[in-house]
């Protein structure tokens, strides 16, 4: 028997985190199945988290791009804040990469390049989005990583979870010194408090590197060691681990991974 939540019928759990749970759901008011994200009820009095939740919805509603999962509805029901957004059937890049590594080897280079191309297009839409007055919204996703990218069954790459995104119009002010996002994909300048769209391009460079090589780039047992590696680890070209990577693709990835953001893709 499906759980009822307002107009939604709740089915399988898709994911759970520290602040919210996501379920597959259906509503008579929406033709397609949705991913229903619900803030944990005990956090409803946390103004910082609720503000971030509202910001995510406000932001996501402005993003209209085939490579970004769209938002259908936002609200509060029986003390629980929720977002209903597009359900994308298909594996995350994390799942796809793990599956390929275990059964068939690395993801083919041309597939990696197509994924990167589509992600660049989606990020460009977010980074260059302007409001009705023509002013830049200054969007930075801050959490581009394999678990936040879905490869749909149609071949469309979808960037999801703008929950950590930073904009010039955010109602919530981040605490000084608090790094948002997964440490393995955080740009070195962000560790010093500098954040702009080029941080997302660094993260995309890490994702490309890991997909091309089948290896984690900065992984380490301790968080401090991960941060040290992000700051200083020499980064060999992907072709060192995958000889099928051509020199021009090495150059694309290493440019994205320039530690000086001025030397990175702009």
């Amino acid at each position: 028997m499906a759980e009822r939540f307002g107009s939604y019928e709740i089915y399988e759990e898709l994911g759970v985190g520290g602040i919210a749970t996501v379920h597959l759901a259906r509503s008579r008011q929406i033709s397609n199945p949705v991913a229903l994200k619900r803030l944990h009820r005990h956090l409803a009095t946390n103004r910082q988290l609720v503000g971030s939740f509202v910001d995510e919805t406000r932001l996501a509603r402005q993003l209209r791009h085939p490579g970004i999962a769209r938002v259908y509805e936002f609200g509060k029901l029986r003390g629980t804040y929720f977002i209903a957004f597009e359900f994308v059937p298909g594996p995350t890049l994390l799942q796809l990469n793990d599956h390929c590594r275990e059964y068939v080897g690395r993801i083919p280079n041309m597939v990696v390049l197509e994924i990167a191309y589509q992600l660049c297009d989606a990020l460009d839409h977010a980074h260059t989005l302007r409001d009705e007055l023509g002013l830049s919204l200054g969007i930075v996703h801050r959490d581009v990583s394999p678990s936040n990218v879905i490869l749909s069954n149609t071949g469309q790459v979808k960037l999801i979870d703008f929950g950590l995104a930073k904009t010039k119009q955010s109602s919530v002010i981040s605490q000084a010194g608090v790094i948002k996002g997964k440490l393995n994909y955080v740009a070195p300048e962000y560790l010093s408090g500098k954040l702009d769209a080029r941080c997302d391009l660094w993260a995309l460079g890490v994702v490309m590197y890991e997909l091309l090589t089948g290896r984690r780039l900065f992984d380490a047992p301790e968080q401090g060691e991960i941060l040290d590696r992000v700051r200083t680890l020499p980064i060999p070209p992907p072709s060192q681990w995958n000889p099928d990577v051509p020199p021009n693709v090495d150059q694309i990835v290493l440019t994205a991974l320039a530690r000086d953001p001025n030397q990175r893709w702009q």
Side-chain angles (χ1 to χ4, degrees):
M1 186 72 177
E3 175 194 348
R4 298 290 306 194
F5 181 79
S7 66
Y8 296 95
E9 290 185 351
I10 310 297
Y11 296 97
E12 65 184 281
E13 183 180 286
L14 299 175
V16 61
I19 68 169
T21 304
V22 182
H23 283 85
L24 179 66
R26 289 186 176 274
S27 170
R28 292 184 299 275
Q29 301 170 5
I30 303 171
S31 58
N32 298 318
V34 303
L36 189 69
K37 182 176 182 177
R38 292 182 288 180
L39 191 70
H40 298 320
R41 288 195 65 177
H42 68 276
L43 300 175
T45 57
N46 186 316
R47 294 178 62 184
Q48 179 92 8
L49 287 176
V50 170
S52 295
F53 206 69
V54 172
D55 277 345
E56 177 184 0
T57 310
R58 183 183 298 123
L59 170 62
R61 279 184 163 173
Q62 298 180 75
L63 295 166
R64 296 297 180 91
H65 187 277
I68 298 174
R70 62 173 294 196
V71 166
Y72 295 114
E73 186 183 10
F74 165 77
K76 183 181 181 183
L77 180 65
R78 300 197 299 269
T80 299
Y81 288 91
F82 72 92
I83 305 173
F85 57 94
E86 178 184 3
F87 169 67
V88 184
T92 66
L93 284 190
L94 180 63
Q95 293 167 332
L96 180 67
N97 203 28
D98 287 347
H99 179 84
C100 287
R101 189 165 56 237
E102 185 171 350
Y103 293 104
V104 296
R106 289 183 290 263
I107 299 172
N109 290 348
M110 290 305 296
V111 175
V112 175
L113 292 177
E114 175 62 24
I115 289 168
Y117 173 81
Q118 291 192 40
L119 282 174
C120 283
D121 198 44
L123 285 171
D124 180 64
H125 173 75
H127 292 162
T128 60
L129 193 64
R130 296 178 179 273
D131 64 16
E132 59 275 8
L133 299 177
L135 301 175
S136 171
L137 292 175
I139 295 172
V140 184
H141 187 282
R142 288 203 292 188
D143 201 14
V144 176
S145 58
S147 59
N148 281 336
V149 178
I150 297 177
L151 183 60
S152 77
N153 295 340
T154 64
Q156 174 69 58
V157 175
K158 293 274 188 178
L159 181 61
I160 64 170
D161 200 349
F162 277 77
L164 295 184
K166 181 72 173 174
T167 76
K168 292 178 180 177
Q169 299 179 356
S170 294
S171 62
V172 177
I173 300 173
S174 297
Q175 293 173 267
V178 176
I179 302 297
K180 302 292 183 70
K182 300 172 184 67
L183 296 183
N184 300 64
Y185 304 92
V186 166
E189 71 270 20
Y190 186 24
L191 302 179
S192 304
K194 299 173 183 176
L195 176 69
D196 61 31
R198 294 171 296 183
C199 291
D200 284 345
L201 300 185
W202 165 278
L204 179 54
V206 179
V207 171
M208 286 187 69
Y209 194 101
E210 294 182 345
L211 294 180
L212 287 166
T213 65
R215 303 169 61 94
R216 298 294 295 275
L217 183 52
F218 299 117
D219 211 19
E222 302 292 334
Q223 289 190 351
E225 189 176 351
I226 292 174
L227 296 181
D228 287 343
R229 291 184 176 193
V230 169
R231 291 188 183 101
T232 63
L233 182 74
I235 303 173
S239 58
Q240 177 169 314
W241 309 111
N242 178 1
D244 293 331
V245 175
N248 59 340
V249 175
D250 273 341
Q251 184 61 35
I252 289 170
V253 175
L254 293 179
T255 300
L257 293 175
R259 285 193 164 90
D260 178 357
N262 293 316
Q263 301 301 316
R264 212 172 290 157
W265 301 108
Q266 303 298 304

